[in-house]
Amino acid sequence: DADTYLFPENVARYVEWKKWSHDEHHYFGHVLNHRVSDRGVSIVAGAAAFFSRATLLAAADAFRRMPMENGNLEEDGTCRDAYTG
């Protein structure tokens, strides 16, 4: 998003304050709670989502293992954009 800004120094201080390591799985950002039933469910908003190194590496491995066929089907579990291929 054009209205999302990341200041690395602020993120570094936040991570240090939380006592997190880049070798641990972390996913954080602005949590949305639109409905009462969503409370307690972590839904992080759009471009303001941040991942630790461990989480990015795990996601990359998961995406790499996804099949690449059926490019014309939407939501088929493959690693590609259903609309652009």
Side-chain angles (χ1 to χ4, degrees):
D1 290 346
D3 61 350
T4 301
Y5 300 93
L6 170 69
F7 294 91
E9 302 83 9
N10 293 348
V11 174
R13 279 195 297 272
Y14 180 74
V15 168
E16 184 177 313
W17 174 73
K18 297 288 277 182
K19 298 182 178 15
W20 286 347
S21 166
H22 61 270
D23 293 322
E24 301 166 342
H25 289 282
H26 298 289
Y27 164 58
F28 64 100
H30 178 72
V31 178
L32 299 177
N33 291 303
H34 292 295
R35 300 175 299 251
V36 172
S37 61
D38 289 338
R39 302 297 193 258
V41 177
S42 297
I43 301 172
V44 177
F50 304 95
F51 305 91
S52 66
R53 181 185 307 163
T55 300
L56 284 175
L57 290 173
D61 286 341
F63 291 143
R64 196 175 296 117
R65 289 191 304 270
M66 287 181 179
M68 299 293 282
E69 60 272 354
N70 300 325
N72 62 331
L73 302 176
E74 184 177 350
E75 300 296 332
D76 65 355
T78 60
C79 182
R80 49 111 194 114
D81 185 305
Y83 298 101
T84 64

